[in-house]
Amino acid sequence: MRSFLNEIEKIICAVIFMAMTVLGFVNVVVRYLSNSSFAATQEILLNGFLLITVFGAAIAARRGEHLAVTLFTDILPAQARRLAILLATILSVVLLVLSAWFCLGLVQSQHESGVVSPGLQIPLWYYSIGLPAGFLLVAVRLLQSLYESWMNTTDRRGGQDV
């Protein structure tokens, strides 16, 4: 179970990517054979790209490979660098939690208003429900990455930088 939870964003991205690939391929074949296409494929693919972006950010955060400007932290001494990274992570987590909160409000608004998608005429909140979960997962992965890098840079015996 633990390995599943550690890999959940990879699994989500793989499933979405496979579905998008199959849907895109089927759409090309149908368009080639009949000179018409599925009207809803663009809607599904666009929302799939959005979800892959959010969950892909969780993968990058977990690996510590998220976009970062390190010009200033690279010139800082070790203790100041660690504090700067801690501050940046805290601010990033706050931003991600706020993003999840506001996306949850969007999902509730879409659910209450009953707005539907233009192509498939399904409730629009079906597409949006993954966003708050994705933002929260990115926040969790950032905290995991911080914890692991923090533990790897300190000597457990004395708590000093190695």
Side-chain angles (χ1 to χ4, degrees):
M1 182 66 167
R2 180 180 289 262
S3 66
F4 175 76
L5 292 177
N6 281 335
E7 306 294 326
I8 188 73
E9 62 270 20
K10 291 179 187 177
I11 295 167
I12 291 170
C13 283
V15 168
I16 293 172
F17 187 71
M18 282 293 286
M20 290 172 58
T21 302
V22 168
L23 183 62
F25 178 75
V26 168
N27 190 37
V28 168
V29 169
V30 168
R31 189 180 321 138
Y32 180 74
L33 295 176
S34 69
N35 289 332
S36 64
S37 65
F38 296 130
T41 55
Q42 183 178 0
E43 174 183 305
I44 294 170
L45 293 175
L46 180 66
N47 286 289
F49 279 121
L50 179 64
L51 290 174
I52 279 182
T53 301
V54 172
F55 286 100
I59 294 169
R62 178 76 165 101
R63 295 178 180 171
E65 297 174 349
H66 56 283
L67 183 62
V69 179
T70 60
L71 175 67
F72 299 112
T73 57
D74 287 346
I75 61 174
L76 294 173
Q79 274 305 99
R81 182 180 315 121
R82 289 181 66 197
L83 288 175
I85 291 170
L86 177 64
L87 178 63
T89 302
I90 290 169
L91 292 174
S92 296
V93 167
V94 167
L95 177 68
L96 288 161
V97 169
L98 287 172
S99 297
W101 175 261
F102 287 115
C103 281
L104 190 58
L106 169 72
V107 170
Q108 288 174 334
S109 174
Q110 289 173 339
H111 183 265
E112 290 168 1
S113 69
V115 65
V116 295
S117 66
L120 289 175
Q121 298 295 308
I122 61 173
L124 205 52
W125 66 271
Y126 287 4
Y127 293 127
S128 304
I129 193 69
L131 293 176
F135 285 132
L136 290 175
L137 185 59
V138 175
V140 167
R141 296 308 190 201
L142 277 175
L143 291 171
Q144 279 183 315
S145 177
L146 175 70
Y147 176 76
E148 288 171 3
S149 68
W150 202 274
M151 295 308 290
N152 289 337
T153 60
T154 59
D155 181 9
R156 293 177 192 250
R157 287 171 279 136
Q160 300 297 317
D161 285 339
V162 184

